[in-house]
């Protein structure tokens, strides 16, 4: 097994909710409620979950755009959880972020070439010629022309802007790239192009990728491993094949059954979840999923928080479910065939 | 066969479009687009025309004015105090010396004084707004960017300034600093500063949450670099408009202070103080009040029209 580039341990992010006359803190939202996640070098991990489950927050914490409330992040062996200022800068160079909204992530008053070159300028590529060269090369790598460097963002389409965003993230040759739903704002036809580009670049440049998405189909296409998040916690994590072939957590099952299949004759054994995703302001006790879970058992699931546990012997398939991988497997054992 | 040729035609078209694309590489920057839109607006162009005319008058005042604005003409010419304008074209006898705007109470050529007055008003308007813009926008930007207690204290102080009627506060400040053009300038700058600070702060608050600022942060920019390279350039648009409109207000307030005797001191030719000096002669020598008033009106109108035009031109919703 490859060594881990990123190790996150018990990572928590709380946002204060302010209210009342004096803007006092009246509650906290647990956007990320204790996540352990390892990302091996050179692999692409997909992170899926519904809106509001904390996946973007987790990605932003990883590249230190958000300050973790507690827990640790190790990057290539170094603890970067609370590194600040100039000490953080060398790490900034090695991890980059691709934003969801291609319209908001480029400075409208800066030529795209300068936007891409910003990282080079900040990290000591002083010669203007060299910057120009690398920007041109980068633009060509993402499928644009070098001459586009002198244009402004409003002259590009959404897909082109996302390519520019990718070029900006990759120009520093980072080790880790966090892509926050990079295609969800794009047309379906353009989505495929951008996804393929990301995938090619990932293998070409040997990138480690954390790919955040709410679309399992998109994640299947790009990632080696998939982590499923629900309400601030990771509920299942395994390699792509076993997840799609044999999901363990009931939430993952529901997610997978929601993928539309373009075959009208195929029986629709959709598993529709009841209710809304609960508010992270006031999450259910025990397993966060139990109010919506088809197999939940009273007295077990609404009491204890399930931990991520291995379902198979070599420990590659992890799920957090009392009834499938935890101590109460006898109640609802899913036969694991591997 | 037809299918193949259609395919070929398509390829050719694509190739041509690609190469044609090369000709349009010249970037159309935001400012260039804005300028194009500005040209399309009549009111803005009228404003620009008025202001350009005034600026030219101010620059070439010594060439335009026939007399020294401060020299009295007693003994040089046969003229009386408060003498009405004498324009040869309008039937004034040719043997009398021409005075387009008449003669003032100190027997000076009023036209020359009004012409020289443009210098005072324009420089005053320009410097007041520049001072207010730099200090106000700077305070607003830092307050908005840092937030927290600094933001609270500074912006509440700005609210206090905004709470006073502006001319009254300006009078109070000049009363402390002492009358004079420079002190009037400082007073007006202080009074108008909160407007710039507020607009800048609001802009910064919105921009600092944007993804391109996050991107810059992820690349390793320090807060200072982000403020200067990303936030402030993107926040400038409404401030440019505000500043243009602000020139009109500043000129008006300066005229007001001079009218009250707190701004320009005699014998300096300044429109506001000229108005004030002859306000009691409105009925006996109306030209002495009319012309400086007209000059102030044209200037203020010009800046207001230009500001409106710029607001339309810089409106990002008209971008696409």
């Amino acid at each position: 097994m490859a060594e881990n580039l990123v190790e996150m341990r018990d990572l928590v992010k709380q946002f204060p909710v302010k209210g009342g006359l004096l803007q006092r803190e009246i509650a906290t939202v647990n956007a990320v409620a204790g996540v352990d996640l390892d990302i091996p070098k050179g692999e692409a991990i997909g992170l899926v979950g519904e809106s509001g489950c904390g996946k973007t927050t987790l990605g932003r914490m990883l590249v230190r755009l958000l300050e973790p409330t507690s827990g640790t992040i190790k990057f290539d062996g170094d603890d970067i959880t609370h590194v600040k200022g100039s000490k953080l800068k060398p790490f900034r160079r090695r991890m980059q972020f691709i934003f969801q909204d291609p319209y908001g992530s480029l400075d409208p008053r800066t030529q795209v070439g300068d936007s891409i070159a910003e990282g080079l300028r900040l990290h000591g590529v002083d010669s203007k010629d060299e910057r120009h060269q690398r920007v041109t090369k980068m633009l060509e790598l993402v499928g644009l022309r070098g001459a586009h460097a002198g244009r402004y963002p409003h002259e590009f389409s959404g897909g082109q802007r996302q390519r520019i965003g990718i070029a900006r993230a990759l120009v520093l040759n980072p080790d880790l790239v966090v892509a926050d739903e990079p295609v969800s704002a794009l047309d379906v036809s353009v989505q495929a192009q951008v996804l393929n580009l990301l995938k090619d670049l990932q293998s070409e440049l040997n990138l480690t990728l954390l790919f955040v998405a709410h679309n399992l189909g998109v994640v299947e296409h790009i990632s080696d491993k998939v982590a499923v998040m629900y309400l601030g916690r990771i509920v299942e994590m395994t390699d792509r094949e076993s997840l799609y072939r044999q999901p363990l957590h009931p939430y993952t099952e529901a997610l997978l059954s929601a993928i539309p299949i373009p075959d009208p004759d195929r029986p629709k054994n959709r598993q529709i979840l009841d209710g809304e995703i609960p508010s992270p302001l006031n999450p259910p006790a025990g397993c966060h999923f139990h109010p919506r879970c088809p197999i939940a058992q009273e007295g077990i699931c609404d009491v204890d928080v399930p931990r991520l546990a291995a379902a198979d012997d070599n420990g590659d398939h992890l799920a957090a479910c009392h009834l499938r991988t935890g101590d109460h497997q006898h109640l609802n054992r899913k036969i694991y065939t591997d | 066969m037809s299918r193949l040729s259609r395919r070929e035609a398509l390829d050719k078209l694509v190739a041509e479009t690609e190469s044609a694309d090369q000709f349009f590489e010249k970037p159309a920057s935001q400012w260039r687009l804005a300028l194009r839109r500005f040209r399309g607006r009549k009111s803005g162009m009228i404003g620009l025309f008025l202001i350009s005319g005034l600026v030219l008058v101010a620059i070439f005042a010594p060439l335009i004015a026939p007399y020294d604005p401060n020299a009295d003409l007693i003994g040089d010419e046969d003229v009386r105090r408060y003498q009405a304008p004498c324009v040869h074209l309008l039937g004034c006898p040719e043997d009398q010396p021409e005075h387009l705007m008449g003669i003032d109470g100190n027997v000076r050529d009023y036209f020359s004084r009004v012409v020289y007055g443009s210098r005072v008003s324009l420089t005053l308007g320009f410097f007041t707004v520049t001072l207010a813009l730099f200090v106000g926008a700077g305070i607003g930007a830092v307050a908005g960017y840092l937030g927290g207690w600094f933001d609270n204290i500074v912006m509440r102080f700005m609210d206090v300034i905004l709470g006073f009627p502006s001319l009254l506060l300006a009078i109070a400040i000049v009363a402390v600093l002492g009358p004079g053009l420079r002190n009037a300038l400082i007073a007006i700058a202080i009074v108008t500063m909160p407007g710039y600070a507020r607009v800048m702060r609001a802009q910064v608050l919105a921009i600092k949450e944007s993804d391109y600022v996050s991107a810059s942060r992820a690349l390793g920019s320090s807060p200072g670099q982000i403020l200067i390279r990303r936030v402030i350039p993107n926040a400038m648009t409404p401030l440019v408009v505000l500043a243009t409109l602000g020139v009109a207000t500043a000129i008006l307030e300066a005229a007001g202070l001079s009218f009250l005797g707190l701004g320009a001191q005699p014998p300096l030719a300044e429109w506001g103080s000229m108005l004030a000096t002859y306000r009691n002669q409105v009925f006996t020598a109306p030209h002495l009040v009319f012309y400086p008033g007209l000059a102030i009106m044209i200037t203020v109108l010009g800046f207001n029209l230009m500001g409106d035009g710029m607001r339309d031109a810089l409106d990002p919703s008209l971008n696409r």
Side-chain angles (χ1 to χ4, degrees):
Chain A
M1 204 170 145
E3 95 188 82
N4 291 330
L5 182 67
V6 174
E7 289 178 4
M8 292 184 255
R9 287 291 169 270
D10 202 25
L11 207 57
V12 175
K13 178 66 186 179
Q14 297 178 327
F15 291 108
V17 179
K18 290 183 178 170
L21 207 59
L22 294 171
Q23 289 295 299
R24 257 197 294 241
E25 197 176 314
I26 50 172
T28 51
V29 175
N30 288 301
V32 174
V35 162
D36 298 334
L37 182 65
D38 295 341
I39 307 179
K41 262 188 188 141
E43 279 194 27
I45 304 267
L47 186 62
V48 287
E50 316 177 41
S51 308
C53 74
K55 51 194 194 301
T56 297
T57 308
L58 185 68
R60 286 193 177 231
M61 265 197 290
L62 176 53
V63 294
R64 290 295 311 280
L65 283 174
L66 284 174
E67 201 66 16
T69 308
S70 66
T72 55
I73 306 171
K74 271 192 175 175
F75 181 81
D76 209 9
D78 298 308
D79 187 340
I80 59 160
T81 325
H82 299 291
V83 178
K84 279 196 176 66
S86 58
K87 289 206 177 95
L88 185 58
K89 209 171 158 185
F91 292 108
R92 292 274 193 217
R93 175 181 193 143
R94 299 177 59 193
M95 46 197 203
Q96 278 304 312
F97 198 85
I98 297 171
F99 290 85
Q100 174 174 11
D101 174 15
Y103 294 91
S105 62
L106 292 170
D107 184 344
R109 295 214 181 280
T110 306
Q111 295 175 8
V112 299
D114 291 341
S115 278
I116 297 171
E118 187 183 7
L120 295 174
R121 199 169 40 75
L122 286 166
H123 291 280
V125 179
D126 291 324
S127 130
K128 218 173 172 180
D129 285 341
E130 195 189 336
R131 284 206 298 260
H132 181 76
Q133 252 175 24
R134 286 179 64 173
V135 167
T136 308
K137 221 176 85 188
M138 213 58 231
L139 278 170
E140 279 160 9
L141 197 63
V142 297
L144 297 169
R145 276 186 287 123
H148 286 142
R151 293 196 183 176
Y152 287 86
H154 67 94
E155 298 173 75
F156 293 97
S157 69
Q160 286 174 318
R161 288 187 209 201
Q162 200 56 286
R163 286 167 190 270
I164 294 163
I166 293 171
R168 175 178 58 190
L170 297 185
V171 75
L172 283 172
N173 210 354
D175 301 319
L176 171 74
V177 171
V178 176
D180 180 19
E181 309 202 26
V183 296
S184 62
L186 305 176
D187 277 351
V188 177
S189 57
V190 184
Q191 278 190 8
Q193 295 172 8
V194 173
L195 277 181
N196 286 332
L197 172 72
L198 258 180
K199 199 177 175 180
D200 293 346
L201 289 175
Q202 194 239 332
S203 55
E204 218 168 291
L205 305 173
N206 195 26
L207 292 175
T208 307
L209 186 66
L210 180 68
F211 190 92
V212 179
H214 56 238
N215 183 334
L216 276 167
V218 166
V219 166
E220 182 179 14
H221 185 70
I222 204 161
S223 22
D224 307 310
K225 271 181 144 182
V226 182
V228 181
M229 247 183 123
Y230 185 76
L231 223 60
R233 290 182 187 151
I234 289 182
V235 295
E236 185 160 2
M237 162 121 183
T238 182
D239 57 282
R240 180 177 56 183
E241 288 79 22
S242 17
L243 185 90
Y244 286 88
R245 190 163 38 82
Q246 192 169 35
L248 279 182
H249 199 279
Y251 178 62
T252 317
E253 285 175 355
L255 275 187
L256 287 176
S257 78
I259 298 178
I261 296 159
D263 181 359
D265 299 328
R266 217 180 130 124
K268 294 191 187 81
N269 48 359
R270 286 257 179 101
Q271 193 184 326
I272 311 287
L273 287 178
D274 296 328
E276 289 289 307
I277 186 167
S279 162
L281 257 178
N282 186 17
C287 174
H288 282 171
F289 188 57
H290 83 262
R292 303 169 76 187
C293 181
I295 61 165
Q297 300 274 337
E298 224 173 296
I300 300 169
C301 296
D302 53 356
V303 178
D304 292 329
V305 179
R307 317 207 109 263
L308 267 180
D312 53 353
D313 294 335
N314 48 13
D316 282 344
H317 197 151
L318 303 170
C321 180
H322 290 303
L323 308 175
R324 295 271 170 83
T325 58
D327 301 332
H328 303 277
Q329 290 186 25
H330 57 280
L331 292 172
N332 194 324
R333 170 112 200 178
K334 199 168 179 182
I335 308 300
Y336 197 84
T337 53
D338 199 18
Chain B
M1 182 240 142
S2 76
R3 192 170 184 188
L4 193 72
S5 66
R6 195 187 296 158
R7 179 73 194 267
E8 278 169 358
L10 207 64
D11 282 348
K12 203 167 149 237
L13 193 68
V14 168
E16 272 169 8
T17 332
E18 287 264 305
S19 59
D21 214 26
Q22 305 277 3
F23 289 109
F24 298 105
E25 290 302 344
K26 190 90 202 102
S29 79
Q30 302 256 331
W31 292 110
R32 194 182 297 264
L33 288 174
L35 191 68
R36 202 176 297 160
R37 275 199 302 274
F38 185 80
R39 285 217 199 94
R41 300 205 189 243
K42 238 177 225 143
S43 66
M45 287 310 282
I46 292 173
L48 186 66
F49 177 75
L50 290 177
I51 302 303
S52 316
L54 274 164
V55 169
L56 288 178
V57 167
I59 293 172
F60 296 110
L63 300 177
I64 296 167
Y67 297 88
D68 180 338
N70 295 327
D72 68 61
L73 304 171
I74 304 172
D76 297 343
E77 284 177 8
D78 181 21
V79 286
R80 288 175 293 107
R81 298 171 71 200
Y82 303 129
Q83 189 174 304
C86 166
V87 185
H88 291 158
L89 270 176
L90 297 178
C92 181
E94 291 280 342
D95 55 341
Q96 279 185 28
E98 191 170 50
H99 292 287
L100 294 177
M101 294 182 185
I103 299 294
D104 78 354
N106 289 322
V107 204
R108 294 174 291 201
D109 177 50
Y110 214 49
F111 176 64
S112 304
R113 288 184 69 73
V114 170
V115 166
Y116 271 91
S118 67
R119 289 187 154 187
V120 178
S121 283
L122 287 181
T123 43
L124 196 107
F126 179 76
F127 282 113
T128 311
V129 167
T130 312
L131 185 65
L133 182 69
F134 271 90
V135 179
I139 288 174
V142 174
Y145 196 69
L146 293 182
W149 61 266
F150 182 80
D151 180 30
N152 261 321
I153 290 176
V154 169
M155 291 319 288
R156 289 305 82 78
F157 182 66
M158 291 287 140
D159 288 348
V160 169
I161 296 180
L162 217 53
F164 286 100
S166 62
L167 196 59
L168 205 62
L169 183 59
I171 290 170
I173 295 170
V174 174
V176 172
L177 297 175
L181 210 51
R182 199 195 57 192
N183 291 342
L185 187 154
I186 294 171
I188 298 164
I190 293 175
V191 168
T192 48
M193 203 166 61
Y196 299 99
R198 280 191 155 192
V199 171
M200 189 65 174
R201 177 176 172 271
Q203 286 287 106
V204 168
L205 282 183
I207 291 168
K208 79 170 178 179
E209 296 301 329
S210 71
D211 275 352
Y212 57 83
V213 166
S214 292
S216 196
R217 208 145 59 85
L219 286 167
S221 295
S222 67
Q225 286 169 323
I226 291 176
L227 190 62
I228 290 166
R229 295 190 63 95
R230 296 280 165 249
V231 177
I232 290 179
N234 279 291
M236 280 318 284
T237 309
L239 283 167
V240 170
V241 176
L242 197 66
T244 317
L245 296 171
V247 175
T249 323
I251 289 175
L252 214 51
E253 294 217 340
L257 281 181
S258 298
F259 185 86
L260 296 171
L262 298 170
Q265 299 300 307
L268 185 66
E270 202 274 345
W271 296 335
S273 61
M274 285 155 78
L275 264 181
T277 313
Y278 301 111
R279 65 184 185 278
N280 292 330
Q281 272 75 40
V282 168
F283 297 109
T284 52
H287 59 279
L288 296 183
V289 181
F290 176 76
Y291 286 112
L294 186 72
I296 293 174
M297 195 210 81
I298 290 175
T299 315
V300 172
L301 182 71
F303 276 107
N304 276 333
L305 287 176
M306 193 163 89
D308 280 347
M310 276 166 74
R311 179 169 51 206
D312 291 346
L314 295 173
D315 186 349
S317 66
L318 300 169
N319 251 352
R320 302 184 186 102

